[in-house]
Amino acid sequence: MLLSASQPIWSLPLEKVYPGLRTTPEGLSQPEAQQRLERYGANRLPPLKRRSLALRLLDQMVHFMALLLWIAGVLAFVAGTPQLGWAIWAVVLINGLFSFWQEFQAERTLAALTRALPRQVQLWRDGMLGFRSVEELVAGDRLLLEEGDRVPADCRISVSHELRVDLSVLTGESAPVARQAMDLPAHQAELGLPTGERPNLLLAGSTIASGRGEAFVYATGSETEFGQVAHLTAGTPRSVSTLEQQVARIVHTISTIALTMGLLAFSLSLVFVGMTPLESLVFAIGIIVANVPEGLLPTVTLALALNVQRMGRRKALVRRLSAVETLGSVSVICSDKTGTLTCNRMAVEETWLPVPGEELHQLLLQGAALCSNARLDASGAVGDPTETALLQAAQAAGLDPAELQRLHPRQREIPFDSHRRRMTVLVSWPDPPLAIATGDSLVITKGAPLEVLERCDAWLTPAGSEPLDARRRLSVVAANDDLAARGFRVIGVALRAAGAEELQATPGDLLETGQTLLGLLGLYDPPRPEVPDAIRRCRDAGIRVTMVTGDYGLTAQAIALQIGLLEPPAPNGRGVNSHRGNGQHRLSGADPVRVIEGSTLAQISDVHLRQLLKYRHRLVFARMAPEQKLRLVQAYQALGEVVAVTGDGVNDAPALRAADVGLAMGITGTDVAREAADIVLLDDNFATIVEAVRFGRSVVANIGKFITYILASNVPEVAPFLAMVVLRIPAAFTVLQILAVDLGTDLLPALGLGSETPEAGVMRQPPRPRDLPLLNRPLMVRAYLVLGLVEGLSAMAGYLLVWRNNGVDLAALQQLAPDLLHHRATVEVLAIQHQASTVAFSLIVAGQMAALLACRSDRRPFWDLLPIPNPLLWLGFFSEPVVAGLLVLVAPIAAVFELARFPVGYLGPIALAPVAVLLADTVHKWLIRRPLRCAGSGRFRCRRRQDGAASGPAAPSAPS
């Protein structure tokens, strides 16, 4: 804190604040600000204490699945097989280290993406207003704060225009409170009010709910009021996402199955096979280890991290990991128009005047320029795109906006808000134009034409003001509708003259009455060229797109037609018919459409609204208030839809929080909107949303792929133990060999599946039901009864084939089983057993290589995906035979795992194993695609056909 005065800053008159902060009314110079930054440090809070890396590594070693394996290792030591115990513990350590590394990398990825969108603030340096990083703020800086900005430091207000502040972060009180640039009376300065309740202060962490103002920084970083209590948030736990809950449920389910099967195996082997308790214990450990999916957790982390990175490269910054999986289930997108569906490149292309004339045209542009908060400087246009377009139009007409503002300084301002839809300023103008009235000041209002028109009782002609009768009002409305129907955003401008003292004391609503209409300005913002294709892709993906805008209905309708959200009028002349009385617009023919204005929505009951949303799938909502946007989101959710919502303003925050996925604008969005959102669109582009949905679907699909792959290997691992009980033959595998399969064929290939890019057809499928579990019936059928069954049969067939080729049939093998079980077998018999186990082991490895290719898609044949690059997957694919070769061919390792070399002739049957797996999977995919073409995709088509008039009951009409 930098304050040389002995009194608190809130108690000082404004003229004493400047020397107290050693600053000037214009702010600081850049050299002085740099010196203070170096001396007092950046405006940031000290980093919160996080759980140490050692403890976070420990977390990866003691979760439920890891504890299960630790216990299995202890039991192995108890059973007298220390090499098995060490091997199991090695698996736990390797997976724990890998999980820790993936989680660490995922956090670094999120942190790096967050740094890509630094918070900025408007401030004056060397007398020039510009944007700078919040971290560069120092005491004495002069700030400009507008609606939606988060206050970056503790400040004393110097200028305020209808300023209201949300202090909920600091006080918990959600209602915005007024703040003013005022000197506190002596009696109020003596009251023991908390600092946050002083009406001339803005505290870091609060947000500007409405209005605008200027303020001087007096405390930054940890010296702020917020910094004093920030440590209290350090212990706030991160909420668990739905995906994490589902993965945890899968781990518990499979681990419970493993324990149950282990106990059953222990009992059966003890009672029916004749094993000793210790031998039965080792047998049970094998069953448990075979069923525990050790590689599941690190693969989930990798899948999320990779897709977050990919989304970041495509300008979608993920703020909450849970949003990635939710994107895969999005069925409705409620999108803004300006900047999201359009380019946000406003330009004034049309003007309308009551009576054409150059002097009136110049006055219209002067009024629009003076009633704007944007500015033009050497670096370009800064501010709201609509206002910068007005300034550029004035400049193109030979006017100098900066000089206009110097000649006619602003004395008062009533800021724009989404409910009033207009902005008003009071400027000094000693000589009112065209003798419209007497006085030394002008009230200028700009905003939605119909809102402005309601406050006018005359319009301006070269001869002066003329009363607005009904006929003239209708001509203004007709001019507005004509411009709007061509896709223009229309701005009305009006003014009135009066004395400054009179107007300063007039309440805001009265200040805007009795005005004279100057004319209308038509601004065009072209649709983004990529949006029509993105809309089409949404339809193909079963996602409904609804435009929600504050613009006039006809303007919204025109843009919706241009981007393909609405269909053009039918050739017979029927089509989109505007009914201005109730705000409805209908499209006759196959695709009924409504363009519903906020005034109409206010008259519709919640039940009526849900019926409308259920049966009408192409909708445009215009002139929407923020609370109506929230109501629309809640109505869609009540119908079971998963809703994504875009927003940029402070009033969009409730809808962004209520939505299943909140999407804030990175360029035009306010700080409040960004912090309320799950994902920030760095380019404000609707097409980026569609890409984000594609990657969201890919995450869940990839998790399903590697779960299928991991579970498929469980069947051939368990099958030898079941065969031992049922057929009374030796176990084809030892527990160490099962661990070799898990470690050699599960981890790296599963990670490759987790890194798969979205499939080509992922956006031609309906949204995934949100409540559909990851471990669902089709997945388990494919893993256990298709891939796993073929692998298990192949492995057992290979095992028995080796014995048969050595002259031992099934009956003889059953006689040898007790000797092998109790370690009494001869060297020759052990050699055959090791060779048979090695062939069975190799068959599983070969089968898992095929399963890896098969699991790249649950719908398409494996050969369709062979050309698609995935370096990590191919690394996993080729690592499987390499690891298997090392285990078999390197004598010391082979001795530990009880593996042995086998004759080259067995390579033929081993090569047939992947063919059998791929053939079985291809037939399975073909069989499930056949009924889906008639049932599954048919239901999808029926859902899409509800857009048509012939499907379902007719939607209810909105009230007039």
Side-chain angles (χ1 to χ4, degrees):
M1 183 179 292
L2 176 65
L3 187 61
S4 60
S6 58
Q7 293 176 269
I9 193 166
W10 45 263
S11 66
L12 294 175
L14 193 57
E15 61 271 11
K16 291 186 178 180
V17 169
Y18 307 132
L21 294 173
R22 298 204 292 275
T23 187
T24 68
E26 291 76 32
L28 296 173
S29 66
Q30 180 57 34
E32 174 64 21
Q34 186 61 36
Q35 287 181 9
R36 295 188 184 188
L37 183 64
E38 293 172 358
R39 181 177 179 183
Y40 297 104
N43 177 38
R44 68 168 76 97
L45 296 175
L48 298 175
K49 290 185 178 180
R50 301 197 58 193
R51 192 171 174 84
S52 69
L53 290 178
L55 289 176
R56 291 162 66 189
L57 175 59
L58 182 63
D59 290 339
Q60 300 298 334
M61 304 295 180
V62 295
H63 56 76
F64 181 79
M65 194 163 57
L67 288 174
L68 194 62
L69 291 176
W70 283 117
I71 294 170
V74 171
L75 293 175
F77 279 99
V78 172
T81 53
Q83 71 275 19
L84 174 58
W86 287 118
I88 294 174
W89 287 355
V91 169
V92 179
L93 288 170
I94 291 170
N95 277 284
L97 287 169
F98 202 87
S99 295
F100 167 75
W101 177 248
Q102 289 301 331
E103 184 177 291
F104 180 69
Q105 288 290 90
E107 289 185 0
R108 289 183 60 185
T109 298
L110 282 177
L113 290 173
T114 302
R115 288 194 296 271
L117 191 67
R119 281 183 57 204
Q120 293 192 314
V121 64
Q122 294 185 77
L123 57 80
W124 279 265
R125 291 276 172 86
D126 296 322
M128 298 291 292
L129 181 63
F131 284 94
R132 288 186 179 270
S133 169
V134 164
E135 294 193 353
E136 295 181 32
L137 281 183
V138 295
D141 267 327
R142 177 188 172 201
L143 309 183
L144 173 62
L145 296 166
E146 299 177 305
E147 179 181 303
D149 288 345
R150 182 171 287 277
V151 180
D154 288 353
C155 309
R156 166 68 189 269
I157 302 171
S158 58
V159 177
S160 62
H161 299 290
E162 306 291 330
L163 195 60
R164 299 183 72 80
V165 181
D166 180 356
L167 296 170
S168 57
V169 171
L170 299 169
T171 66
E173 176 59 51
S174 59
V177 295
R179 287 291 181 263
Q180 297 175 328
M182 59 184 295
D183 298 335
L184 293 183
H187 71 278
Q188 187 172 348
E190 294 172 1
L191 295 176
L193 293 174
T195 304
E197 295 184 19
R198 304 292 177 177
N200 58 2
L201 298 183
L202 295 174
L203 300 185
S206 58
T207 54
I208 308 300
S210 62
R212 59 194 295 270
E214 297 175 15
F216 283 83
V217 175
Y218 69 86
T220 61
S222 58
E223 296 295 324
T224 63
E225 294 290 323
F226 185 73
Q228 299 298 317
V229 297
H231 67 279
L232 298 177
T233 64
T236 303
R238 182 180 67 87
S239 59
V240 180
S241 72
T242 308
L243 179 62
E244 290 170 319
Q245 291 172 351
Q246 287 215 40
V247 171
R249 195 176 301 124
I250 290 171
V251 168
H252 280 78
T253 301
I254 296 177
S255 299
T256 302
I257 293 172
L259 280 173
T260 304
M261 291 184 67
L263 290 172
L264 186 62
F266 179 82
S267 303
L268 291 175
S269 61
L270 195 62
V271 175
F272 295 104
V273 181
M275 289 183 176
T276 66
L278 288 181
E279 290 170 337
S280 297
L281 184 58
V282 174
F283 175 37
I285 292 170
I287 292 290
I288 292 171
V289 172
N291 279 278
V292 172
E294 300 92 345
L296 180 60
L297 296 180
T299 311
V300 170
T301 307
L302 176 72
L304 286 171
L306 282 176
N307 279 279
V308 165
Q309 287 178 321
R310 289 166 178 166
M311 291 167 67
R313 287 195 290 268
R314 285 162 176 79
K315 305 299 183 183
L317 190 156
V318 177
R319 297 187 68 249
R320 296 181 182 89
L321 274 179
S322 59
V324 179
E325 44 134 344
T326 309
L327 277 169
S329 300
V330 164
S331 56
V332 173
I333 299 175
C334 294
S335 175
D336 287 332
K337 177 182 72 69
T338 304
T340 308
L341 298 172
T342 63
C343 295
N344 208 25
R345 293 199 301 266
M346 292 283 185
V348 177
E349 295 191 1
E350 296 274 353
T351 58
W352 177 88
L353 299 166
V355 177
E358 183 58 29
E359 187 177 4
L360 288 175
H361 184 258
Q362 290 281 313
L363 184 58
L364 175 65
L365 294 175
Q366 287 178 9
L370 287 170
C371 193
S372 296
N373 288 322
R375 67 183 187 282
L376 304 178
D377 54 31
S379 61
V382 179
D384 178 79
T386 299
E387 293 190 340
T388 58
L390 297 177
L391 297 185
Q392 289 165 343
Q395 193 176 59
L399 301 172
D400 184 346
E403 181 65 14
L404 278 174
Q405 292 171 359
R406 188 188 67 79
L407 292 174
H408 306 289
R410 188 175 299 182
Q411 300 169 342
R412 185 179 174 188
E413 175 185 335
I414 304 176
F416 176 88
D417 70 46
S418 54
H419 291 278
R420 292 167 10 89
R421 296 194 178 94
R422 60 187 184 278
M423 171 186 175
T424 297
V425 296
L426 172 64
V427 299
S428 173
W429 200 314
D431 184 20
L434 298 178
I436 59 174
T438 59
D440 57 4
S441 298
L442 279 183
V443 175
I444 305 175
T445 297
K446 81 171 194 309
L450 300 187
E451 302 291 336
V452 173
L453 183 61
E454 285 182 7
R455 283 146 187 85
C456 294
D457 53 22
W459 68 16
L460 193 62
T461 68
S465 297
E466 295 183 2
L468 271 175
D469 55 23
R471 180 181 59 80
R472 287 173 173 168
R473 287 184 183 275
L474 286 175
S475 67
V476 176
V477 173
N480 173 60
D481 286 358
D482 175 64
L483 290 169
R486 288 187 281 148
F488 289 100
R489 168 176 279 187
V490 189
I491 301 293
V493 182
L495 53 77
R496 77 179 178 96
E501 293 183 3
E502 172 194 348
L503 294 177
Q504 284 282 14
T506 304
D509 289 342
L510 294 178
L511 187 70
E512 296 172 329
T513 58
Q515 298 198 69
T516 300
L517 182 70
L518 289 180
L520 306 177
L521 294 154
L523 299 93
Y524 187 65
D525 182 14
R528 291 182 182 269
E530 62 272 23
V531 165
D533 181 63
I535 296 281
R536 178 194 58 76
R537 291 175 65 195
C538 283
R539 292 211 180 102
D540 290 344
I543 300 172
R544 298 161 59 179
V545 180
T546 299
M547 182 191 291
V548 184
T549 178
D551 259 353
Y552 191 51
L554 284 172
T555 303
Q557 173 184 290
I559 297 298
L561 286 167
Q562 291 175 33
I563 63 175
L565 182 59
L566 304 185
E567 287 188 351
N572 60 8
R574 297 185 302 164
V576 180
N577 303 312
S578 172
H579 300 276
R580 280 197 26 81
N582 57 17
Q584 296 183 62
H585 305 271
R586 294 180 182 169
L587 180 65
S588 303
D591 190 14
V593 175
R594 296 265 175 97
V595 178
I596 302 172
E597 295 196 353
S599 57
T600 303
L601 186 62
Q603 304 173 42
I604 297 177
S605 68
D606 289 340
V607 173
H608 193 160
L609 176 60
R610 288 195 294 269
Q611 289 178 330
L612 189 67
L613 298 179
K614 184 176 181 179
Y615 295 112
R616 304 288 181 175
H617 285 197
R618 297 189 185 186
L619 293 170
V620 172
F621 289 87
R623 284 285 184 254
M624 291 283 281
E627 63 272 12
Q628 291 178 320
K629 191 173 187 178
L630 174 60
R631 183 186 172 205
L632 187 63
V633 170
Q634 292 170 336
Y636 271 125
Q637 289 174 327
L639 293 172
E641 304 285 0
V642 178
V643 186
V645 173
T646 68
D648 55 9
V650 62
N651 290 323
D652 290 325
L656 289 171
R657 289 192 184 97
D660 298 286
V661 180
L663 300 149
M665 303 297 109
I667 299 174
T668 60
T670 61
D671 294 338
V672 176
R674 292 175 187 173
E675 292 181 15
D678 304 295
I679 294 173
V680 177
L681 304 179
L682 299 180
D683 58 358
D684 293 8
N685 194 337
F686 180 83
T688 303
I689 303 175
V690 182
E691 280 296 290
V693 170
R694 189 168 74 96
F695 282 109
R697 291 187 173 191
S698 162
V699 166
V700 180
N702 286 355
I703 292 173
K705 292 172 186 177
F706 62 68
I707 289 176
T708 304
Y709 176 80
I710 289 172
L711 295 184
S713 67
N714 288 355
V715 176
E717 291 171 354
V718 172
F721 296 101
L722 298 178
M724 182 178 71
V725 174
V726 176
L727 300 178
R728 304 294 180 90
I729 62 175
F733 297 131
T734 66
V735 179
L736 275 177
Q737 289 165 354
I738 290 174
L739 286 174
V741 171
D742 284 348
L743 208 55
T745 69
D746 275 6
L747 189 57
L748 194 57
L751 292 173
L753 288 172
S755 66
E756 282 278 83
T757 55
E759 284 189 57
V762 72
M763 292 299 285
R764 289 193 293 272
Q765 298 294 315
R768 180 180 184 274
R770 194 174 187 178
D771 56 353
L772 181 66
L774 288 173
L775 195 63
N776 51 65
R777 183 177 176 182
L779 185 149
M780 296 181 73
V781 167
R782 185 182 179 212
Y784 287 137
L785 300 182
V786 180
L787 300 174
L789 181 61
V790 175
E791 287 185 41
L793 292 174
S794 300
M796 289 309 301
Y799 177 77
L800 294 174
L801 178 65
V802 173
W803 282 105
R804 185 172 186 83
N805 288 344
N806 282 276
V808 180
D809 57 15
L810 181 60
L813 185 59
Q814 289 172 337
Q815 292 176 0
L816 290 173
D819 292 337
L820 285 167
L821 183 62
H822 298 296
H823 310 291
R824 298 192 303 263
T826 63
V827 174
E828 292 79 6
V829 171
L830 279 176
I832 300 172
Q833 169 70 6
H834 293 169
Q835 194 177 90
S837 295
T838 305
V839 170
F841 171 80
S842 302
L843 283 162
I844 293 180
V845 172
Q848 281 295 93
M849 292 175 68
L852 181 64
L853 298 180
C855 288
R856 295 188 75 182
S857 174
D858 59 356
R859 295 173 289 106
R860 299 167 64 190
F862 74 94
W863 57 80
D864 279 0
L865 290 97
L866 290 177
I868 299 175
N870 183 342
L872 189 56
L873 181 133
W874 289 111
L875 178 62
F877 179 84
F878 290 111
S879 72
E880 295 190 52
V882 170
V883 171
L886 290 173
L887 291 173
V888 173
L889 299 177
V890 179
I893 300 176
V896 172
F897 286 92
E898 299 182 24
L899 297 172
R901 300 188 182 193
F902 51 79
V904 177
Y906 287 111
L907 291 177
I910 291 172
L912 290 176
V915 176
V917 171
L918 291 172
L919 181 61
D921 186 69
T922 303
V923 172
H924 174 71
K925 288 175 180 176
W926 179 75
L927 290 173
I928 62 172
R929 278 203 308 269
R930 288 189 63 196
L932 279 176
R933 285 171 186 159
C934 303
S937 57
R939 285 193 297 270
F940 180 37
R941 291 194 198 102
C942 288
R943 181 182 177 185
R944 293 172 60 189
R945 280 200 301 268
Q946 286 175 354
D947 288 358
S951 67
S957 300
S960 301

